[in-house]
Amino acid sequence: MMKQLAFRQVDVFTRVPFKGNPVAVVFDADSLGTQQMQAIANWTNLSETTFICAPRDRAADYRLRIFTPKRELAFAGHPTIGSAHAVLEQGIRPKTAGRLVQECGAGLVALTIEKERLFLTLPQAALREVDEPLAGEIAAALGIAADAVLAKAVVDVGVSWITLQLAGADRVRSLQPDLARIAALTPRSTAGVTVFGLAPGTVETQIEVRSFAPADGVPEDPVCGSGNGCVAALIRQENLLGTSGYVASQGGCLGRDGRVEVQYRDDGTILLGGHAVTCVEGSLATP
């Protein structure tokens, strides 16, 4: 007999359906095993599919398991925002007004509810240098010279990305990467490569971002929360903007128009978030 589980597909980092990054959200998922979850994530074929489970930590409102088409993740940004949006729409009441606490593989993640927007508190970032030979090979796979990279680091915010600054938003948009080569170069501990460039001439957004994770079955992530989190950490370390926050755009090369908002707090924490909208609501049949 088939079991019906509540299901939503949420478009994240946008107010407009089909312009952000979709995440599939499955409710009441404690009855599912890891292999079933992985099979569902492979079937949805989205960059991530999440499963809402009962929390194990009493401080959490719910527990989230996050899967790409190929593996489980300890944390991811846009699935965290999209799942929180779905949880609220599903009628789950936060234990603390205006605040959600998500339990996941990376621990507890706090989310702030600001009217129509949701902001997650980014896990503490760890930055380390990129091995120079690897950096050169990645640059070549992106179709650029090694000296076209202005700043670089391997940044871990619960998910690790090789994060590169290029000379401006236009340079980021013009990339035509060799995705098979990027997949081969991506270390097993790293999701992929995120690149960004400043867009000082624009009013609405200040940063352009692209994220490539072909080794995880995601050639280009339309609007990547963890990738943007890595960018935010590198921007703060290098003091590239000197502001208390900014808005990044991502997805234009894929026909999307995502907006990721970043806020730097005086205590050193980074908040990352934006809008989300539900595009699909129904039930998922599971054996």
Side-chain angles (χ1 to χ4, degrees):
M1 181 177 177
M2 293 286 185
K3 184 176 182 178
Q4 302 290 325
L5 299 178
F7 172 90
R8 291 175 189 262
Q9 188 163 308
V10 179
D11 214 11
V12 185
F13 299 126
T14 181
R15 302 183 196 190
V16 182
F18 320 128
K19 287 297 184 180
N21 195 1
V23 59
V25 184
V26 181
F27 290 87
D28 302 317
D30 292 284
S31 62
L32 299 175
T34 298
Q35 289 185 340
Q36 288 175 296
M37 293 180 182
Q38 187 64 75
I40 292 169
N42 182 60
W43 174 75
T44 66
N45 200 32
L46 297 176
S47 59
E48 281 96 5
T49 298
T50 68
F51 299 85
I52 308 294
C53 302
R56 294 171 178 168
D57 191 312
R58 294 179 64 182
D61 292 288
Y62 57 92
R63 182 165 62 96
L64 194 69
R65 296 186 68 179
I66 307 166
F67 288 79
T68 74
K70 292 190 175 183
R71 67 183 176 110
E72 185 171 7
L73 301 178
F75 168 79
H78 104 269
T80 293
I81 297 292
S83 299
H85 174 86
V87 160
L88 292 171
E89 281 196 339
Q90 192 71 5
I92 296 176
R93 289 190 173 185
K95 293 178 180 178
T96 302
R99 185 173 182 267
L100 282 169
V101 178
Q102 169 189 292
E103 179 184 350
C104 60
L108 298 180
V109 177
L111 293 112
T112 303
I113 305 166
E114 295 188 8
K115 295 182 180 180
E116 296 179 350
R117 298 175 300 165
L118 287 161
F119 287 88
L120 64 86
T121 301
L122 201 68
Q124 182 65 42
L127 291 83
R128 60 182 174 85
E129 294 183 356
V130 184
D131 178 74
E132 287 297 336
L134 176 60
E137 290 190 71
I138 289 174
L142 291 170
I144 58 176
D147 61 7
V149 178
L150 305 183
K152 60 184 181 294
V154 178
V155 186
D156 189 342
V157 293
V159 180
S160 179
W161 288 87
I162 297 170
T163 309
L164 311 176
Q165 181 197 5
L166 305 186
D170 289 343
R171 190 70 188 90
V172 171
R173 295 187 194 99
S174 69
L175 291 176
Q176 296 183 349
D178 182 338
L179 294 172
R181 184 63 180 148
I182 289 176
L185 290 169
T186 300
R188 291 180 62 87
S189 60
T190 303
V193 178
T194 287
V195 298
F196 71 98
L198 305 185
T202 67
V203 175
E204 187 176 354
T205 64
Q206 294 76 52
I207 304 289
E208 184 73 24
V209 178
R210 293 178 73 182
S211 301
F212 308 103
D216 263 349
V218 185
E220 181 169 355
D221 198 319
V223 198
C224 181
S226 62
N228 272 276
C230 293
V231 169
L234 185 56
I235 285 175
R236 184 174 66 179
Q237 176 177 277
E238 300 295 325
N239 195 27
L240 298 178
L241 286 177
T243 64
S244 61
Y246 64 85
V247 179
S249 59
Q250 188 174 5
C253 295
L254 298 175
R256 312 293 177 83
D257 190 24
R259 295 289 184 270
V260 180
E261 300 179 47
V262 170
Q263 300 175 6
Y264 295 117
R265 294 294 171 88
D266 292 339
D267 62 2
T269 58
I270 300 174
L271 270 61
L272 181 147
H275 292 85
V277 59
T278 297
C279 295
V280 179
E281 181 180 357
S283 61
L284 182 74
T286 63

